[in-house]
Amino acid sequence: MEEVFDVVDERDRIIGTALRSEVHGNPRLIHRVAHVLVFNSEGALFLQKRSMNKDVQPGKWDTSVGGHLDSGESYETAALREMGEELGIKDCEITFLHKYLYVNKSEAEYVSTYVCTFDGPIHIQEKEIDDGRFFKLEEIACSKERGYFTPNCLHELELYKNRPV
């Protein structure tokens, strides 16, 4: 059965619902997404390599965790659910980082981003993720022009780098 997402306005207020196939490819239908940046205690960031079967940005390195909110689900609940589903991380405290509207030619998403530190084992969901590993932020910065990373991931890292501390 196809996923149903809440559709929101420019202020992130729910105005309806739509199917996944309707929101992907239509930037007029803003939907909600939760991201988590998973760092280890050495300051390296875990990134996932998107499956080649994904309909958006296949085979590119992306944020540690990213997933759509189910209709009626909160951002934090979705972030925790996706951490468990995608990386097998349970019982890890997350901290809200920022929220923004991300729009490109094919879709529009309200993204709420969280951050955590985790040094335990990571078990990637092989159906959705082809690979995963920790990167030093300098390594990502040196490689960002090569097309390895999703535009959203690079945008997310710019926001992280420029956040008020």
Side-chain angles (χ1 to χ4, degrees):
M1 193 163 123
E2 192 172 358
E3 296 167 284
V4 176
F5 303 143
D6 289 329
V7 174
V8 298
D9 65 12
E10 295 80 14
R11 291 180 164 169
D12 196 24
R13 297 177 299 202
I14 298 171
I15 58 171
T17 59
L19 297 173
R20 176 188 193 101
S21 60
E22 294 172 312
V23 300
H24 282 181
N26 186 349
R28 291 173 299 186
L29 295 176
I30 305 169
H31 55 289
R32 292 173 164 172
V33 172
H35 285 179
V36 182
L37 301 178
V38 178
F39 288 89
N40 64 20
S41 58
E42 296 175 3
L45 174 64
F46 187 87
L47 296 181
Q48 61 168 272
K49 189 172 186 187
R50 296 173 63 81
S51 167
M52 291 302 291
N53 297 323
K54 291 291 226 174
D55 55 346
V56 176
Q57 299 289 327
K60 301 257 181 137
W61 289 96
D62 205 357
T63 54
S64 311
V65 173
H68 296 96
L69 276 64
D70 294 332
S71 182
E73 189 174 34
S74 74
Y75 283 104
E76 185 173 350
T77 299
L80 293 168
R81 175 181 51 78
E82 291 286 344
M83 276 184 26
E85 289 174 5
E86 293 183 359
L87 304 182
I89 298 175
K90 308 249 187 222
D91 301 320
C92 182
E93 188 175 316
I94 60 175
T95 303
F96 175 77
L97 197 56
H98 50 246
K99 184 175 172 181
Y100 61 94
L101 178 60
Y102 185 78
V103 180
N104 61 37
K105 64 182 179 183
S106 63
E107 65 180 341
E109 300 175 327
Y110 242 108
V111 182
S112 190
T113 303
Y114 299 83
V115 64
C116 71
T117 302
F118 185 76
D119 288 313
I122 293 177
H123 305 285
I124 63 171
Q125 181 185 40
E126 294 178 2
K127 184 179 99 182
E128 300 226 1
I129 302 170
D130 283 349
D131 197 4
R133 71 175 183 88
F134 283 94
F135 287 79
K136 292 184 178 182
L137 293 179
E138 302 80 30
E139 181 183 3
I140 297 168
C142 291
S143 302
K144 69 181 185 179
E145 302 300 325
R146 297 186 182 156
Y148 298 146
F149 306 99
T150 67
N152 191 283
C153 178
L154 295 176
H155 177 76
E156 188 75 64
L157 293 177
E158 276 300 308
L159 290 174
Y160 178 79
K161 184 178 90 175
N162 296 317
R163 77 195 183 286
V165 181

